[in-house]
């Protein structure tokens, strides 16, 4: 369409009494983007979405849709549609009537309704269900009716508030795929709210990670996972080992920290740091390697931590190993089981001595 | 603890008890219905089957007139009370306004207040209004069907409001947001979403108001004027002279109407 962002939030605040549900949030969502708001429950995702839909008005700041300020536009005049977490299907109407509702409100002529409703139901693979009542359908089917009811209006932006939250794991996976397929096909901007990091990583073009009303980081799934800019994001997305300490040196995008128990560790700095600053080293368990002391002799990697294997969990695709560094500290390392073997010696055993190695480009030094 | 089956004698005792209670409740009604078909002209003994009393009833202009009055007052007061009561329920559930707490509390007063108090109050009020109209315009007004209807409206509103409020309590406000999201304005939201979904409650409230109006005695007695009495009052006047099977017959018909209304209201609630 154009270069104007589909959605812009300029320094948006929403206060409920003394609580800041949304705290100075600025965002830009591009046209046709699949954009996710990801964060723990209560972090302000729904409130942000509701301000875009028009159910709440910002206490401060501005919401723009395709460059148009929305301050004086009530929900029914906004070019967006919402898929509610609870679906909010009209229980007294058939599936077809539910889907036709938005078109009727827009004054679409009667003879166009039938074909357009049919097309929308086909798009979500629910053709033939038009005369059912919502309560006669399964959760997954209701979810798709809600999707058809929104998409049939061809909104400029589709807002989805944890649309897969109520579905079981298998259906969820299917619907994730289905949603991506649909978004590709209709080319509409999707703003997708979820608290499930895996879901956000799989589906999104870009993700905004939120906590306590603030947006902490915006980026592609890889950026969010590989280069979190703060400890919260590193912790919330995926799993990681944290080692706290002080920056003792930095140069060219790398920094070295010294931990309280005397370890010197080096990693990438996504943000500028200064010597003496308090910092946390984040080491993803799949990015560290565990070697026998013999193997470790010949490897040129900067981290070399002598450890003892403590716990070994075989989970099929991976083996998850907890190693002890010293009396206070354990670290997690995941090894992919790339070889198919029953040989006990191919796997780590509790009590074995090992060396944990990790090149500095695989670790991160985060400052708050 | 092990839950034991109650002893045999206990369960038998319970069953007899239940039968006695229901007999206590329904025996008089059964007797009434049976004696509306008896030939005995005092209506207290069974001397054979006849439909005479029903036929006589329909040929009795006073009773028929009272029946028609009752229906007119019932329908009119139900319509007005349902409208006002529904609006009040919406206001109480949906809006915060000054004095909302007081309005909420006062809502239940007409339900618990002795009806005689309300009747006296309405009577005094109508006398006052008539005097005022007389002083201002010189017209002399008398109590008539309109005054009774107003009285019935006055006590029905609370009942309608309570019933409609119950259905609003379960109402999912997100449905209204969903409708707004799909482009409906407030008016369209109300008529397409809110109203159809609270309709069972509104119908339930209306049927309750109608039933209350049908069998109201005290307010009807106080507020109806000469020649405009309602059925319960007319029946009372006749019974003071003598119980006749005709009275049994009309009571049976009223019972039939009430049962129909109850069934209708149950059906309305179920169709959600
Ligand atoms: N209508 C409201 N009144 C008061 N507090 C609210 C209201 N809506 C949300 N909040 C508060 O705002 C915060 C953010 O809520 P929400 O946006 O629903 O979070 P999320 O969708 O991320 O779980 C929470 O602390 C919540 O309690
Ligand atoms: Mg939410």
């Amino acid at each position: 369409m154009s270069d104007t962002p589909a959605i812009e939030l300029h320094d948006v605040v929403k206060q409920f009494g003394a609580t800041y549900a949304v705290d100075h949030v600025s965002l830009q969502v591009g046209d046709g983007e699949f954009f996710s708001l990801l964060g723990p429950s209560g972090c302000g995702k729904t409130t942000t979405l509701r301000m875009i839909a028009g159910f709440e008005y910002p206490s401060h700041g501005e919401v723009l849709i395709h460059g148009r300020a929305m301050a004086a536009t009530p929900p029914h005049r906004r070019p967006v549609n919402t898929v509610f977490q609870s679906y909010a299907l009209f229980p007294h109407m058939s599936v077809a009537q539910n889907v036709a509702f938005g078109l009727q409100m827009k004054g679409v002529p009667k003879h166009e309704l039938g074909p357009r409703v049919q097309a929308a139901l086909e798009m979500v693979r629910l053709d033939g269900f038009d005369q059912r009542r919502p309560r006669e359908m399964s959760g997954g089917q209701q979810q798709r009716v809600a999707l058809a009811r929104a998409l049939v209006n061809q909104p400029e932006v589709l807002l989805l508030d944890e649309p897969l939250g109520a579905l079981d794991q298998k259906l969820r996976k299917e619907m994730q795929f289905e949603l991506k397929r649909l978004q590709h096909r209709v080319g509409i901007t999707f703003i997708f709210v979820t608290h499930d990091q895996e879901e956000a990583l799989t589906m999104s073009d870009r993700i905004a990670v939120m906590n306590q009303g603030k947006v902490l980081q915006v980026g592609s799934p890889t950026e969010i996972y590989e280069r979190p800019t703060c400890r919260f994001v590193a912790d919330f997305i995926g799993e990681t080992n944290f080692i706290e300490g002080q920056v003792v040196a930095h140069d060219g995008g790398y920094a070295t920290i010294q931990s309280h128990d005397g370890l010197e560790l080096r990693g990438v700095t996504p943000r500028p740091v200064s010597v003496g600053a308090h910092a946390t080293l984040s080491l993803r368990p799949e990015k560290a390697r565990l070697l026998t002391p013999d193997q470790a002799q010949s490897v040129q990697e900067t981290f070399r931590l002598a450890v003892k294997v403590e716990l070994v969990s075989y989970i099929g695709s991976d083996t998850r190993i907890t190693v002890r560094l010293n009396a206070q500290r354990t670290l997690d390392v995941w090894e992919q089981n790339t070889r198919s073997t029953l040989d006990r010696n191919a796997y780590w055993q509790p009590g074995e001595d090992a060396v944990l190695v990790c090149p500095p480009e695989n670790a991160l030094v985060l400052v708050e | 603890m092990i839950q034991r089956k109650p002893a045999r004698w206990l369960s038998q005792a319970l069953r007899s008890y239940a039968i006695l209670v229901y007999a206590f409740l329904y025996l008089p009604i059964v007797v009434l219905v049976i004696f509306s078909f008896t030939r005995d002209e005092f209506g207290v003994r069974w001397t054979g089957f006849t439909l005479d009393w029903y036929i006589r009833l329909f040929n009795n202009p006073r009773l028929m007139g009272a029946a028609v009055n009752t229906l007119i007052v019932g329908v009119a007061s139900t319509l007005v009370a349902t409208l006002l009561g529904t609006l009040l329920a919406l206001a109480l559930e949906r809006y915060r306004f000054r004095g909302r707490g007081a309005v909420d509390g006062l809502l239940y007063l007409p339900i618990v207040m002795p009806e005689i108090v309300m009747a006296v109050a309405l009577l005094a009020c109508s006398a006052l209004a008539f005097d005022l109209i007389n002083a201002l315009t010189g017209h002399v007004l008398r109590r008539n069907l309109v005054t009774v209807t107003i009285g019935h409206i006055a006590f029905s509103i609370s009942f309608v409001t309570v019933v409609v409020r119950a259905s609003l309590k379960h109402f999912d406000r997100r449905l209204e947001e969903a409708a707004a999201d799909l482009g409906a304005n407030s008016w369209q939201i109300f008529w397409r979403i809110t109203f159809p979904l609270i309709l069972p409650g509104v119908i339930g409230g209306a049927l309750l108001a109608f039933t209350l109006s049908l069998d109201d005695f005290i307010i009807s007695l106080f507020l109806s004027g000469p020649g405009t009495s309602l059925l319960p009052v007319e029946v009372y006047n006749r019974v003071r002279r003598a119980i006749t099977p005709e009275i049994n017959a009309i009571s049976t018909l009223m019972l039939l109407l009430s049962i129909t209304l109850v069934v209708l209201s149950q059906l309305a609630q179920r169709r959600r």
Side-chain angles (χ1 to χ4, degrees), chain B residues 39 41 51-61 63-64 244-246:
Chain B
R39 286 206 174 133
E41 64 183 301
L51 286 174
D52 265 7
W53 307 112
Y54 286 88
I55 293 163
R56 272 215 227 172
L57 191 65
F58 285 106
N59 292 325
N60 182 329
L63 274 178
M64 277 301 106
T244 64
E246 222 173 338

Side-chain angles (χ1 to χ4, degrees), chain A residues 317-364:
Chain A
S317 59
D318 291 5
T319 305
R320 304 194 162 177
I321 307 138
T322 303
V323 297
R324 183 158 288 283
L325 193 56
N326 53 38
Q328 298 91 44
R329 203 186 289 281
T330 61
L331 298 171
D332 287 333
V333 181
W334 297 348
E335 275 186 357
Q336 228 190 326
N337 296 328
T338 47
R339 279 174 56 212
S340 176
T341 172
L342 296 177
D343 178 11
R344 252 177 83 83
N345 293 322
Y347 304 99
W348 290 99
Q349 304 301 323
E352 274 184 89
D353 285 322
V355 177
L356 188 155
V357 298
C358 176
E361 63 265 27
N362 279 0
L364 292 167

Side-chain angles (χ1 to χ4, degrees), chain B residues 105-126:
Chain B
L106 287 175
L107 181 62
Y108 295 91
L109 198 54
I111 296 177
V112 296
M113 182 164 59
E115 199 184 343
I116 186 82
V117 177
M118 189 139 182
V120 172
L122 285 165
L123 187 63
C125 209
S126 73

Side-chain angles (χ1 to χ4, degrees), chain B residues 116-270:
Chain B
I116 186 82
V117 177
M118 189 139 182
V120 172
L122 285 165
L123 187 63
C125 209
S126 73
L128 199 67
F130 287 167
D131 284 352
L132 202 65
I133 289 168
N134 191 4
L136 289 177
T137 67
H139 286 288
V140 178
L141 293 181
R142 317 183 95 199
R143 291 192 297 281
N144 53 23
L145 285 186
V146 177
T147 41
V148 197
T149 306
I150 292 173
H152 283 199
I153 293 168
F155 72 74
S156 303
I157 288 177
S158 296
F159 288 93
V160 173
T161 304
V162 167
V163 174
V164 175
R165 260 185 109 173
S167 65
L168 277 170
K169 277 253 185 322
H170 300 158
F171 190 89
D172 182 359
R173 297 292 311 262
R174 276 167 304 192
L175 297 177
E176 291 174 345
E177 287 187 348
D181 188 73
L182 293 166
N185 60 32
S186 318
W187 185 253
Q188 290 166 323
I189 293 172
F190 182 78
W191 287 113
R192 298 284 309 260
I193 308 297
T194 318
F195 187 70
L197 287 173
I198 62 167
L199 188 58
V202 174
I203 291 175
L207 289 171
L208 183 61
F210 192 60
T211 317
L212 289 171
S213 170
L214 281 191
D215 79 2
D216 178 71
F217 177 76
I218 302 177
I219 287 179
S220 304
L221 178 67
F222 276 49
L223 290 182
S224 57
T228 60
S229 57
L230 303 189
L231 207 46
V233 179
E234 188 60 32
V235 168
Y236 171 72
N237 284 337
R238 280 171 182 263
V239 168
R240 274 201 309 186
R241 275 176 265 139
I243 300 180
T244 64
E246 222 173 338
I247 296 296
N248 291 347
I250 193 133
S251 305
T252 302
L253 289 180
M254 286 168 77
L255 177 70
L256 203 62
L257 186 57
S258 304
I259 291 173
T260 312
L261 290 175
V262 169
V263 171
L264 283 180
S265 86
Q266 295 288 324
L267 286 179
Q269 309 287 338
R270 195 171 316 159

Side-chain angles (χ1 to χ4, degrees), chain A residues 22-71:
Chain A
V22 174
D23 194 356
H24 296 282
V25 164
S26 296
L27 285 175
Q28 292 203 343
V29 181
D31 224 356
E33 220 180 349
F34 196 117
F35 190 90
S36 292
L37 294 173
L38 171 65
S41 174
C43 73
K45 306 178 298 286
T46 297
T47 307
T48 306
L49 210 65
R50 289 172 62 82
M51 285 190 285
I52 300 172
F55 302 129
E56 308 279 1
Y57 286 86
S59 316
H60 174 267
E62 237 192 338
V63 176
L64 285 83
I65 302 179
H66 277 124
R68 302 186 297 275
M70 288 289 130

Side-chain angles (χ1 to χ4, degrees), chain A residues 45-46 85 161-162 193:
Chain A
K45 306 178 298 286
T46 297
Q85 175 163 19
D161 191 356
E162 311 218 11
V193 162

